[in-house]
């Protein structure tokens, strides 16, 4: 399971190294970057930057490009707009870098110099690192099943250049951290894109074992016999209609063996969601292979944590199943007794994510003694109705955890917005035949995302800090408005690494 695409590597110019023939210069459009800064880069390209700016003004939209030929050591110059200096945020740098990356790929350029003096704003080191992250995610292309396009580079080297060599050295250290993270973001995206005929619960477990070997993680996979012994009937029921049965994948990273704190991450991995007998309409069904994005993100976080050697203990649980339709599939009206002992009336087989997560959350609490419990899931279409694609829904029983996750979201621009879990909503999942039902019922459109959170809350002890991230709307970028194009986004990987780092990882 390997995605293709273009990888970007970043390096300092060795002493006396020749400069690549293409030069990228990021610049503010408003106010224009100071002339003395521009003059320094002009030496590399026979005044091409000044000449270009004299001939046309740089567009003020972030990522707008202008290019020209030059007569200096560099013969092609690409100016990339950083927009308005007063409004610059780190994610704008990513967006600008992504535009530059796409241009390089389309021009089939394999080696380029990047002028970093003008990448100011949030601090040059962070800005250069964001730039590297933007290029890395823009380079992602899921092309595992097609012939490589002629001349499209597999690798582009970016030589950092500055008027002060010290800047380059310092920037490279932060570049390293963010490119390591971006690599795992792209790993999660590649998994998410795998079609359901290739990626089923069994092959996803194989991939987790392979990852565990490469990253030195411990991997355990619970199949149907173990799931039956544990009475994980939610996970079993959702998977019972498919050829490949459900499994629970467990990956462990012990980066702080002496510490008691353990964060458990739980990911929803429905490898394909037909809706079951509560069948989904046919339009857009091909997107439902992305219903495993929560699980893919959990694998990505474990991979990145190991690569960064984070000082923390982390367990990833991926609840994997295919929500299929067949004579063996579970039905609307079925009543399940989940691992916790609670009974659930299944009034909608399309609300399957909460059933598999409920069992995984129970397993986490009974077997892993988490000090923090976080689940990620493409759980409801309703979260997009509430928040669009600007933020994922955050539901949480602990204000300190909500605050820390919120802060990590702001810093990484994988933003979260909290929705309430008030008792008022408990009404919506009351059942007459079982302890609770798994959805409010046909035609009941109130508070869909919250109903999902309320259902999960039933399976979490009040004294365990727990957060539920509903990533249904942000896990994919159908319009290609973000730096990663029209692809899965890997949402959650960078966010949770930032969260773990800030908590002392
Ligand atoms: N996986 C879907 C949610 C989803 C839909 C994610 C489209 C991404 C794109 C989930 O299993 C689901 O179907 N949720 C239902 C819940 C409802 C039946 C209570 C929904 O949101 O409509
Ligand atoms: Zn569903
Ligand atoms: Zn689903």
């Amino acid at each position: 399971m390997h995605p293709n695409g273009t990888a970007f590597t970043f390096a300092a110019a060795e002493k006396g190294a020749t400069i690549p023939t293409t030069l990228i210069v990021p610049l503010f459009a408003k106010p224009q970057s100071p002339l003395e800064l521009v003059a320094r880069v002009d030496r590399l390209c026979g005044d091409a930057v000044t000449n270009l700016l004299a001939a046309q003004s740089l567009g003020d939209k972030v990522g707008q490009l202008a290019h020209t030929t030059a007569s200096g050591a560099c013969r092609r110059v690409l100016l990339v707009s950083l927009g308005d200096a007063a409004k610059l945020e780190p994610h704008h740098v990513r967006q600008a870098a992504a535009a530059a990356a796409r241009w390089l790929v389309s021009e089939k350029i394999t080696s380029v110099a990047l002028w970093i003096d003008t990448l100011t704003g949030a601090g040059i080191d962070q800005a250069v690192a964001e730039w590297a992250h933007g290029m890395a995610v823009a380079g992602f292309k899921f092309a595992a099943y097609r012939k490589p396009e002629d001349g499209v580079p597999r690798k582009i080297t970016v030589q950092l250049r500055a008027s002060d060599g010290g800047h380059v050295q310092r920037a490279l250290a932060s570049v390293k951290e963010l490119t390591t993270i971006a690599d795992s973001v792209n790993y999660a995206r590649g998994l998410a894109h795998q079609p359901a005929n290739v990626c089923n619960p069994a092959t996803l477990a194989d991939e987790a074992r392979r990852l565990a070997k490469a990253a030195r993680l411990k991997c355990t996979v619970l199949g149907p016999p173990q799931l039956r012994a544990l009475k994980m009937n939610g996970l079993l029921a959702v998977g019972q209609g498919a050829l490949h049965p459900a499994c629970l994948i467990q990956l462990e990273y012990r980066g702080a063996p002496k510490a008691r704190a353990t964060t458990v991450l739980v990911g929803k991995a429905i490898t394909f969601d037909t809706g079951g007998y509560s069948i989904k309409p046919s339009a857009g069904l091909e997107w439902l292979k992305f219903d495993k994005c929560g699980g893919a993100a959990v694998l990505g976080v474990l991979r990145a944590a190991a690569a960064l050697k984070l000082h923390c203990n982390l367990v990833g649980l991926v609840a994997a199943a295919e929500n299929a339709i067949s004579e063996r599939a579970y039905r609307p009206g079925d009543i399940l007794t989940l691992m916790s002992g609670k009974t659930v009336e299944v009034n909608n087989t399309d609300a399957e994510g909460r059933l598999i997560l409920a069992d995984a959350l129970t397993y986490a609490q009974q077997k892993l003694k988490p000090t923090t419990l976080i689940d990620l899931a493409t759980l409801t279409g309703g979260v997009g109705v509430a928040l669009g694609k600007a933020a994922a829904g955050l539901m949480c029983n602990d204000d300190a955890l909500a605050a820390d996750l919120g802060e990590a979201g702001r810093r990484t621009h994988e933003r979260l917005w909290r929705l309430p879990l008030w008792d008022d909503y408990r009404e919506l999942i009351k059942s007459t035949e079982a302890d609770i039902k798994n959805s409010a019922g046909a035609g009941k459109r109130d508070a869909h995302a919250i109903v999902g959170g309320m259902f999960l809350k039933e399976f979490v002890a009040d004294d365990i800090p727990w957060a539920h991230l509903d990533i249904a709307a942000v896990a994919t970028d159908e319009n290609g408005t973000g730096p990663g194009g029209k692809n899965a986004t890997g949402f959650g990987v960078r966010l949770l690494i930032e969260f773990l780092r800030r908590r002392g990882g």
Side-chain angles (χ1 to χ4, degrees):
M1 290 195 185
H2 278 291
N4 289 338
T6 305
F8 287 83
T9 54
F10 295 81
E14 299 291 333
K15 253 210 158 65
T18 50
I19 186 160
T21 52
T22 306
L23 171 69
I24 299 180
V25 185
L27 283 178
F28 288 113
K30 233 170 66 178
Q32 263 191 12
S33 301
L35 283 178
E36 65 270 22
L37 274 184
V38 173
R40 287 187 206 142
V41 65
D42 262 341
R43 284 180 216 139
L44 297 173
C45 55
D47 297 335
V49 180
T50 302
N51 292 342
L52 187 66
L53 288 175
Q56 66 176 91
S57 64
L58 189 62
D60 54 11
K61 203 167 145 249
V62 174
Q64 232 165 309
L65 305 177
H67 48 90
T68 183
T69 49
S71 59
C74 298
R75 290 196 294 278
R76 294 178 84 178
V77 178
L78 178 73
L79 303 189
V80 188
S81 177
L82 295 171
D84 185 339
K87 291 193 188 142
L88 187 80
E89 289 185 42
H91 70 275
H92 295 135
V93 176
R94 252 187 275 168
Q95 203 76 33
R102 284 192 287 270
W103 183 81
L104 292 172
V105 170
S106 70
E107 295 291 314
K108 301 177 177 162
I109 294 166
T110 55
S111 170
V112 68
L114 172 67
W115 186 255
I116 63 169
D117 274 19
T118 42
L119 262 182
T120 50
I124 192 158
D125 300 353
Q126 206 213 329
V128 178
E130 291 292 349
W131 182 281
H133 194 274
M135 282 192 140
V137 297
F140 173 87
K141 186 177 167 79
F142 184 66
Y145 301 98
R146 43 182 295 191
K147 271 212 289 281
E149 282 170 71
D150 267 355
V152 167
R154 299 295 304 265
K155 202 177 132 184
I156 298 178
T157 48
V158 182
Q159 191 186 88
L160 301 185
R161 289 268 171 169
S163 55
D164 174 349
H167 280 163
V168 170
Q169 288 311 326
R170 278 196 303 278
L172 274 176
S174 13
V175 163
K176 194 163 179 296
E177 160 123 359
L178 269 195
T179 47
T180 303
I181 295 171
D183 197 47
S184 287
V185 172
N186 284 345
Y187 168 80
R189 299 169 78 195
L191 281 183
H193 275 261
Q194 287 292 347
N197 64 319
V198 174
C199 183
N200 57 56
T203 56
L204 192 60
D206 289 342
E207 174 56 29
R209 289 190 193 96
R210 199 202 56 73
L211 170 65
K213 212 159 165 221
R216 292 164 180 258
L217 303 163
K218 190 175 160 206
C219 179
T220 326
V221 178
L222 307 184
Q226 292 102 323
L227 299 179
R228 276 195 286 272
L230 289 162
K231 302 194 170 75
M232 297 184 79
N233 295 320
L235 182 53
L236 283 164
V238 171
Q240 78 190 27
L243 186 57
H244 301 281
C247 64
L248 184 72
I249 303 164
Q250 179 172 333
L251 279 178
E252 286 169 65
Y253 168 72
R254 301 263 163 215
K258 290 195 186 125
R260 195 186 64 89
T262 301
T263 301
V264 177
L265 304 177
V266 178
K268 167 180 172 182
I270 293 292
T271 56
F272 195 78
D273 185 7
T274 62
Y277 280 112
S278 311
I279 191 168
K280 286 188 182 293
S282 60
L285 263 187
E286 68 275 19
W287 287 91
L288 270 309
K289 70 172 180 175
F290 292 112
D291 209 16
K292 59 184 176 305
C293 283
V298 167
L299 295 185
V301 175
L302 268 289
R303 184 181 187 272
L308 295 166
K309 299 194 170 62
L310 290 194
H311 184 73
C312 65
N313 300 318
L314 201 56
V315 182
L317 289 178
V318 178
E322 179 178 344
N323 190 16
I325 302 168
S326 79
E327 79 273 22
R328 289 187 314 195
Y330 79 142
R331 296 142 294 246
D334 285 2
I335 297 177
L336 310 171
T337 306
L338 301 199
M339 183 182 182
S340 79
K342 277 209 168 110
T343 58
V344 178
E345 173 197 349
V346 178
N347 61 349
N348 193 323
T349 58
D350 198 11
E352 82 297 338
R354 60 200 70 182
L355 296 170
I356 69 170
L357 289 177
D359 273 345
L361 289 168
T362 305
Y363 175 91
Q365 292 165 93
Q366 288 189 8
K367 306 287 177 191
L368 303 170
K369 305 266 170 296
T371 45
T372 305
L373 184 55
I374 301 172
D375 74 74
L376 284 102
T378 48
L379 205 71
T380 66
V383 77
V385 177
L387 300 171
K389 284 179 169 288
L394 163 67
M395 283 146 266
C396 190
N397 66 358
D398 183 275
D399 290 344
L401 176 59
D404 286 356
L405 284 167
E407 182 59 20
R410 278 186 289 280
R411 285 173 182 258
T412 56
H413 204 63
E414 291 192 339
R415 289 178 297 186
L416 304 173
W417 197 257
R418 195 170 177 184
L419 300 170
L421 292 176
W422 294 317
D423 287 343
D424 312 47
Y425 299 110
R426 180 74 177 55
E427 287 295 312
L428 297 170
I429 51 171
K430 268 195 180 158
S431 163
T432 49
E433 301 194 348
D435 293 335
I436 47 173
K437 56 189 181 188
N438 75 331
S439 88
K444 302 248 164 59
R445 289 154 53 92
D446 283 6
H448 253 193
I450 293 173
V451 170
M454 288 302 290
F455 183 91
L456 298 177
K457 188 169 173 250
E458 292 288 316
F459 298 89
V460 181
D462 289 338
D463 59 350
I464 296 183
W466 157 72
H468 159 56
L469 311 185
D470 191 338
I471 60 169
V474 295
T476 49
D477 184 358
E478 292 84 351
N479 306 317
T481 41
K486 289 187 187 179
N487 290 304
T489 59
F491 188 104
V493 177
R494 193 172 165 193
L495 167 83
L496 289 172
I497 292 294
E498 176 73 17
F499 166 79
L500 292 165
R501 264 252 188 275
R502 290 175 54 75
R503 282 234 163 160

